[in-house]
């Protein structure tokens, strides 16, 4: 089983390296020794309050992958109704009940990126952000998100550029 | 090498180098230095070349050497100086690197035979080549079959009824079984569907060949059904009952051999939510607390097929957890929602503005 996971993950890695996704700045295992833990870097979608931000995701892959979904969480702090501000945990059905083995790590990351611009405030993990949306205060929501994007996600980009 | 030569000297064979006029051992040679007619090979090579030939130093000469040894004697005796191999074309000559030149045992001509046939039977050949290309394409296409789960080429395909996506039988079966096994979060509704297109598929047909929707696939499915209809149903054999009743593909045979009619299968309630109760009907808090960490979900619409002790009418004990992913919060609002969150981020209904439901 473990071999099957490694084979599939290597193929996914090759696919990504062959055609790098412009929206995913990075997608690779964190070390050569362990292929079951990956890092990904998301680029914020343009024309959204997340524009210009870079968020690092940590992907932990179970040995039963792809039958069971990978555990993905944000390492970079992000303000979003469905993402825990403190732990980075993501509430997304495709990472839980609606997972399908036809999904890949890349497509899962792209789904998360899509979640950023399509928040679901009715099942929040970040109540403050969700409440703004629920009240219809879109201006307030956008400025809050922009602030946190500049505070955390832009810094990281600069740090990466410096290092 | 030398010991071999000593042994060989006992057989009084003719020195083939002497026959060519270039034996470097001269009178000390272990082989007979007698001239019987002309050598078939008037080689114009110098002594150095002979030397390398003798010791087998040149790799390109080994073929000539090994093939010519036995035939040389034969041809000597029969005085037939053309060895049978001369019918073959020298493969070194074709590569323009035969060191024997004209004296090579093998044919030195680049045959135009195939070209000639080409011009004469060009039509036939075109057809043939087209067929070959088609075959090659088919082979390539077969190689392109990759299971959407393991990304390998399936040895046995698992065909789904309503779509043409490709899976290994084992992969798709493991996926379809996950809802029953360990993961409380895997929804039956998703595992019984195609992982790619989510089309519902009541069963999987194992097949050694892949077939898209069409007569071929229908035939595979019908032969599969025919085959398993010969196998006695394990549910029916044990108790005379089968949860699938008349929709079961396996054999439900009466003692006289006719198919036993059980009527339509009992309809199960949709098992979209998970039930965590012990056998005596009490809420199994330990089971819930395990999965509650970081999760909120809805338990409702119990499937009471498995546990007879659960009284379905006892609505008071039903507990609704609101699942994060569901969008019908408002429609479920009759039940009470139970916000549970680790890491001190707590969301409760009370935290929300009283009229937020009107917004969404």
């Amino acid at each position: 089983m473990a071999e099957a996971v490694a084979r599939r993950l290597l193929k996914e890695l090759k696919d990504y390296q062959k055609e790098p996704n412009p929206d995913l700045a990075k997608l690779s295992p964190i070390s050569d020794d362990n292929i079951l833990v990956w890092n990904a870097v998301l680029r914020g979608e343009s024309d959204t309050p997340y524009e210009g931000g870079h968020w690092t995701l940590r992907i932990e892959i179970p040995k039963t992958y792809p039958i069971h979904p990978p555990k993905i969480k944000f390492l970079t702090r992000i303000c979003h109704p469905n993402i825990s501000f403190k732990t980075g945990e993501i509430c997304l059905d495709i990472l839980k009940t609606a997972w399908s083995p036809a999904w890949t790590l890349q497509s899962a990351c792209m789904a998360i990126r899509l979640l950023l611009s399509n928040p679901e405030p009715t099942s929040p993990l970040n109540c403050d952000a969700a409440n703004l949306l629920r009240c219809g205060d879109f201006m307030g929501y956008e400025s809050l998100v922009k602030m946190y994007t500049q505070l955390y996600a832009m810094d990281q980009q600069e740090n990466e550029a410096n290092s | 090498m030398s010991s071999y030569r000593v042994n060989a000297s006992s057989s009084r064979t003719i020195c083939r180098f002497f026959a060519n006029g270039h034996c470097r051992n001269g009178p000390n040679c272990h082989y007979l230095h007698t001239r019987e007619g002309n050598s078939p090979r008037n080689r114009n090579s110098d002594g150095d070349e002979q030397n390398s030939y003798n010791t087998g130093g040149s790799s390109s000469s080994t073929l000539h050497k090994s093939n010519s040894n036995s035939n040389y004697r034969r041809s000597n005796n029969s005085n037939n100086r053309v060895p049978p191999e001369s019918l073959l074309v020298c493969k070194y000559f074709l590569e323009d690197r035969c060191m024997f030149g004209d004296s090579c045992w093998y044919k030195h001509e680049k045959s135009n035979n195939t070209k000639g046939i080409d011009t004469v039977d060009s039509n036939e050949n075109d057809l043939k080549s087209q067929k070959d290309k088609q075959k090659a394409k088919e082979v390539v296409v077969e190689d392109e079959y990759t299971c959407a789960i393991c990304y390998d080429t399936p040895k046995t395909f698992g065909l789904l009824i309503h779509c043409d996506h490709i899976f290994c039988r084992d992969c798709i079966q493991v996926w379809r079984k996950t809802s029953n096994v360990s993961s409380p979060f895997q929804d039956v509704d998703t595992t019984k569907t195609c992982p790619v297109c989510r089309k519902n598929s009541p069963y999987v047909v194992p097949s050694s060949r892949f077939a898209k929707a069409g007569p071929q696939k229908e035939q595979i499915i019908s032969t599969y059904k025919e085959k398993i209809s010969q196998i006695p149903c394990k549910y029916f054999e044990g108790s005379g009952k089968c949860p699938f009743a008349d929709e079961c593909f396996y054999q439900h045979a009466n003692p006289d051999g006719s198919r036993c009619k059980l009527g339509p299968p009992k309809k199960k309630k949709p098992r979209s939510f998970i039930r965590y109760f012990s056998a005596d009907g009490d809420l199994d808090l330990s089971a819930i607390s395990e999965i509650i960490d970081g999760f909120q979900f809805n338990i409702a619409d119990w499937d009471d097929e498995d546990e007879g002790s659960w009284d379905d009418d006892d609505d008071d004990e039903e507990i609704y957890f609101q699942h994060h992913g569901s969008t019908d919060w408002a429609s479920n609002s009759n039940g009470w929602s139970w916000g549970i969150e680790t890491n001190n981020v707590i969301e409760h209904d009370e935290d929300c503005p009283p009229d937020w439901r009107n917004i969404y």
Side-chain angles (χ1 to χ4, degrees), chain B residues 210-261:
Chain B
F210 181 75
K212 285 197 169 182
Q216 204 187 353
K217 187 171 177 178
E218 278 165 24
Q219 205 198 338
I220 290 173
I221 293 172
S222 64
T223 40
Y224 168 71
K225 280 186 180 176
E226 226 169 79
K227 260 187 194 170
I228 64 169
S229 68
Q230 310 294 322
I231 303 167
C233 169
K234 63 176 179 178
Y235 294 107
F236 185 78
E237 268 203 326
S239 60
K241 285 179 186 173
C242 172
F244 304 100
D246 277 356
E247 283 181 17
C248 182
F249 291 150
Y250 289 90
Q251 192 182 36
H252 288 181
N254 284 324
D256 59 356
S258 64
R259 184 168 172 94
C260 180
K261 283 195 175 173

Side-chain angles (χ1 to χ4, degrees), chain A residues 30-130:
Chain A
I30 51 167
S31 75
D32 290 343
D33 305 328
N34 189 4
I35 199 170
L36 293 180
V37 183
W38 288 40
N39 265 358
V41 175
L42 272 188
R43 284 203 179 102
E45 210 171 323
S46 52
D47 299 329
T48 68
Y50 297 99
E51 185 175 0
H54 283 65
W55 290 268
T56 308
L57 300 172
R58 183 183 175 87
I59 307 172
E60 282 175 33
I61 299 147
K63 282 180 181 163
T64 47
Y65 179 85
I67 298 299
H68 290 118
K71 285 178 188 164
I72 306 182
K73 67 173 190 178
F74 275 84
L75 290 183
T76 314
R77 198 157 270 197
I78 186 167
C79 177
H80 187 276
N82 305 110
I83 297 162
S84 167
F85 188 69
K86 286 192 173 165
T87 63
E89 183 201 335
I90 304 162
C91 174
L92 185 60
D93 60 347
I94 64 119
L95 295 179
K96 277 144 195 170
T97 51
W99 169 257
S100 145
W103 286 84
T104 61
L105 298 182
Q106 190 178 342
S107 60
C109 289
M110 294 317 289
I112 291 167
R113 184 169 176 269
L114 217 60
L115 177 73
L116 297 187
S117 49
N118 298 281
E120 186 61 67
T122 52
S123 55
L125 273 173
N126 183 338
C127 213
D128 298 329

Side-chain angles (χ1 to χ4, degrees), chain A residues 7-8 11 66-68 87 89 91 96-104 120-125 127 133-135, chain B residues 148-149 151-152 174-175 178 182-183 185-186 190 195-196 198 294-295 324 327 329 341 343 345 347 352-353 359-360:
Chain A
R7 242 181 299 149
R8 160 142 178 168
K11 274 178 191 169
I67 298 299
H68 290 118
T87 63
E89 183 201 335
C91 174
K96 277 144 195 170
T97 51
W99 169 257
S100 145
W103 286 84
T104 61
E120 186 61 67
T122 52
S123 55
L125 273 173
C127 213
L133 273 188
R134 283 169 178 172
C135 299
Chain B
I149 296 177
Y151 285 19
D152 282 333
V174 167
W175 165 241
T178 42
S182 56
S183 172
F185 305 120
Q186 221 97 57
T190 56
V196 179
R198 304 250 195 231
F295 240 88
H324 272 318
T327 50
W329 177 287
E341 179 57 67
N343 307 311
V345 185
E347 290 94 32
C352 305
I359 300 166
Y360 291 94

Side-chain angles (χ1 to χ4, degrees), chain B residues 24-45:
Chain B
R24 65 173 185 148
N25 293 324
N28 296 328
C29 182
H30 296 291
Y31 296 89
L32 279 176
H33 277 196
T34 55
R35 224 172 256 279
E36 290 185 8
N38 284 325
S39 158
R41 301 189 283 179
N42 297 315
R43 188 175 295 148
N44 297 321
S45 50

Side-chain angles (χ1 to χ4, degrees), chain B residues 287-334:
Chain B
I288 288 185
S289 63
E290 267 178 31
I291 47 174
I292 270 173
D293 283 349
F295 240 88
Q296 292 177 302
F297 63 98
N298 199 336
I299 302 183
D301 286 57
W302 309 115
D303 165 33
D304 61 334
E305 294 288 324
D306 307 323
E307 291 170 43
S309 61
W310 171 252
D311 185 2
D312 209 18
D313 298 326
D314 202 357
D315 286 331
D316 295 339
E317 284 185 48
E318 286 196 11
I319 293 173
Y320 291 83
F321 293 87
Q322 181 61 42
H323 182 267
H324 272 318
S326 71
T327 50
D328 52 353
W329 177 287
S331 66
N332 273 347
S333 60
N334 293 331

